[in-house]
Amino acid sequence: MSSRRAIYFNPAAANENCVSPQIEGLTAFHQSFPNYAPTPLVQLPELAVELGVKTVLVKDESNRFGLPSFKVLGASWGCFRAIAAHLSLPATVSLDELSNRAKEASIVLTTASMGNHGRAVAFMARLIGIEARIFVPRSLNQWTRDLIAGEGARLVVVQGDYDQAVQKAVDETRVGQGVLLIQDTAFEGYEDVPTWIVEGYSTMMHEVQNDLAHLGLSGSVVITPAGVGSLAHAVAKHCKSQSTPMSVVVVEPDTAACISSSLTAGKPVTVQTSSTIMDGMDCGTVSSTAWPDLQRLVDACVTVSSYESHCAVQYLTSKSVAAGPCGGASLAALRQLAKSKEATSPLNKDSVVVLLSTEGAREYPVLKDVSVDDVVGLTQTLTQINSSNLTLSVTDGVGETEIANYLAAWFAHRGIEYHWIEKVAGRPSIVGVLRGSGGGKSLMFNGHTDTVSLSSYEADPLSGSIGTKNGKEIVFGRGCLDMKGGLAAGLAALAATKASGRVPRGDVIVAAVSDEEDASQGTQDIIEAGWRADAAVLPEPTQGVIFTAHKGFMWVEVDILGVAAHGSDPASGEDAILYAGSFLQALEKYQCQLPVDDLLGQASLHCGLIRGGEEPSSYPDNGVPHCPSPNGRVHPMLKEIAQQKPRFKYAEPRITMSRPTQKVAADHPFVQKAIACTSAVLGSNPAVKAGPFWTDAALLGAAGIPSIVYGPVGEGLHAKEEWVEVESLQQFEKVFTRLVHDFCY
């Protein structure tokens, strides 16, 4: 079985039909536009042979009235009818008369959009000669923003998602008279305009029907992209009103699967959305007017990833069909539908399939494939994403946003619940949850997504390439070992559990956290957000050893004070850096007296950083050692030095960071369970001991979550070359999958 989100099938839709009344004046309205012509219906015979169907055709909407999308069909009719209704004009009024009256009344059109709908409303406003105000979410790329503004609209960027942009557009209509909302999303009290927009799309379907008749074909399956569901609504009503009803397949992004989720739930549900290249389909709520018909008339609903849409765009481009990602989505859905073995699938060898390619070519980022399930492929993919820590070093890092977007899409592709946690801007963590049926123990895999700086890496730090080292197959790249390989093992175990089809009784959680390399912001954030589990594994690179304990630490910053003066004036100057030497000597002596723990061994300290002085020619007035110290001994030490050296002065020591120790008993049931699972998979017990480095396990332990640190084999932590063994990764995927099975079921 696959771990991806299942296709929704509705066998009952095959017997449904509806009456789709002819809209008076609609065809004449669109034909009155300058340069009207039906868009082409292109045959793809090679694709039909490949997929085992009779015919595949693409309705190419890359040029509609000079705009690269079908959206203008609905937006223009919606604008026309909304203005006419507001001014009490008949639906048969001419466009010229409507324009004159709209300008006299100072009508303003407003909407929220992810691109083509807003551009279409702006186009219509310009054609009529009135103002348009278009609200867009902050995630919309600059290129698309510029295209909307290029139609003469006033663009307003909302610091939120699409649904928040819709709310801002609604609020705009309450500000002044004559501001009309032209939104394709229906909600309570706002149904007329979305209905008119749906009516406008029917022109495209009539063109399809005419072209099929000219070709001597009878369409059997239509695949349509969907955002809020307006186009899908128009398509469904048209297809089910034919004398021989056609099957309707809806496609939407994995990351904005509001229709799929609603169909599965049997009621409208709002879903969280995340980054997608299918901008116009990035909608979290289905239209209330579309929903009843979609629930009844849609035969299947498929979700696709950005990468699958991109591959479809490439194929269409090779066949001279200019398509953007929303347009490519239909082909991506067809490919998934063709793979399905479901008896209820509307696809068969006699199918005549019409793909609606709803937008022309445009710029977009090529996102990585989220269908990867195996641990090695996931390690390579995660390593190829730059997630260097923003605050760790003097070298600029890029942060974790890109890798968080990938992981959000990875979870969404599988229909796995996920949560985006970003308490500090630019430092997001993602928590994915495979919900259990209840009554079982929950298990968390906690892995950090950030890496140290790329600048210290000798070759390509983002290669994620596979090579050999000491006769072993390995993955190279910054972070592959620390700790994207371990995180990938947890993800792969989650995917394997999902694909098994057996739902565990307890929840399986993967927390992909930010900032572990510096201040552990991510794990602190998920704990504060309330995430807990009965046990946790942190798959840090332990070389196959289970760490049940590790030291804590405290960072202390001390100001040793001097007096600034010219370097030639010792009577006035006090050298803070020389005085700091006395403190360092005291630290060296104290190191011999540090306590010894039975499990963790002797405590340690060092002076990791010292800062002071302005230039060689002056006495420095400040020297600041930064000392990872095991306890609060620093203050008494400074006091002793001051008693021995009256000119020695200092400010109160500051604890800049403090982290607890981590300890779980070796005979703890979870530790024993991990040992048993490893033995069952690998045939031998792993070593169990204390670890030499600090991890987020201490924070989880302090929150009451028994945690072990246990991860793959490799070398090069923070070094000029980093690698992780392929065999070790594969072993940990199996061990973690077994651990889920034995602990959560």
Side-chain angles (χ1 to χ4, degrees), residues 643-662:
Q643 288 172 348
Q644 296 168 10
K645 298 182 178 183
R647 300 180 73 180
F648 181 89
K649 293 181 174 58
Y650 59 90
E652 191 71 22
R654 299 179 297 280
I655 298 174
T656 59
M657 187 180 295
S658 179
R659 294 289 182 260
T661 58
Q662 161 67 5

Side-chain angles (χ1 to χ4, degrees), residues 13 28 38 78 297 382 430 570 573-574 640 714 724:
L297 304 177
L382 295 177
I430 298 290
E574 300 278 358
E640 285 179 21
V724 61

